[in-house]
Amino acid sequence: MNPIQSYIAEQEPRMMEELFSLIRIPSISAQPEHRDDMSACAHRWAQLLLEAGADEALVMPSAGNPVVFGQKITDPEAPTVLIYAHYDVMPAEPLEGWKSEPFEPEIREERIWARGADDDKGQAFVQVKAFEYLVRHGMLRHNVKFLIEGEEEIGSPSLEEFCRKHKEML
């Protein structure tokens, strides 16, 4: 087993619970009744970024749902990588199409079944955990910035304005 595989194996219970904590939040941007869930999910992402080693993680207002911005600056002269992700998910309806509760992760056939397990909470989580590994093992050589938005599933109507307003930060 290589060092990365060993790290994943050692940290798997913690990582699974962290991922599940995100998936359990029904961050459905298309349904206004989930506005509080959108905020809760953004705050959970900020917390996870800080725990992974970010120097700062902010939940920032936009014209719509909050945007999560996090960063780790290793050297102001080093190249910077910007990682984009989204924390909103599609509605789970029709519910009769699910074999399990859409926001209660279930492992079947070595796969996680739940809304957001892949698109995009799962994918973004993998990126944050790769960042975590690099930070914890002193291997990060670039500055890293995260931009995690909450409106991708409805066409990102607030993202362009947010980026224009915060272009120096990004």
Side-chain angles (χ1 to χ4, degrees):
M1 205 181 290
N2 69 40
I4 294 172
Q5 290 169 323
S6 295
Y7 182 77
I8 292 169
E10 292 166 7
Q11 302 297 321
E12 184 178 13
R14 173 183 63 87
M15 289 182 184
M16 293 294 281
E17 187 47 47
E18 289 173 352
L19 175 58
F20 287 6
S21 74
L22 287 167
I23 292 170
R24 287 183 180 114
I25 302 170
S27 51
I28 305 168
S29 57
Q31 297 175 342
E33 62 268 25
H34 287 283
R35 188 135 179 92
D36 289 346
D37 295 318
M38 300 304 294
S39 178
C41 196
H43 281 89
R44 182 64 179 133
W45 269 115
Q47 179 183 16
L48 289 171
L49 287 171
L50 290 171
E51 291 171 2
D55 296 328
E56 70 175 331
L58 308 170
V59 176
M60 302 177 70
S62 78
N65 291 317
V67 173
V68 181
F69 173 78
Q71 67 178 349
K72 174 93 177 157
I73 305 299
T74 60
D75 177 350
E77 301 300 316
T80 298
V81 175
L82 175 63
I83 297 173
Y84 164 86
H86 65 93
Y87 64 87
D88 62 322
V89 298
M90 295 293 289
E93 290 81 12
L95 296 178
E96 56 273 0
W98 289 85
K99 292 182 181 178
S100 56
E101 292 296 317
F103 294 102
E104 184 51 48
E106 184 176 294
I107 298 174
R108 293 192 314 262
E109 302 167 15
E110 297 184 14
R111 291 192 167 104
I112 301 170
W113 294 88
R115 179 59 85 213
D118 181 41
D119 179 15
D120 187 38
K121 293 175 183 179
Q123 175 63 34
F125 188 79
V126 169
Q127 294 166 329
V128 170
K129 292 301 134 181
F131 165 78
E132 175 185 291
Y133 179 85
L134 294 173
V135 169
R136 290 189 180 183
H137 290 87
M139 299 169 65
L140 190 64
R141 303 289 178 256
H142 293 73
N143 302 314
V144 178
K145 296 184 178 191
F146 294 89
L147 174 69
I148 308 173
E149 64 141 325
E151 298 180 341
E152 191 274 343
E153 298 293 2
I154 57 171
S156 301
S158 305
L159 184 60
E160 185 175 348
E161 178 187 330
F162 179 88
C163 290
R164 226 184 257 116
K165 184 176 179 181
H166 300 287
K167 68 182 176 181
E168 296 303 318
M169 177 183 73
L170 298 172

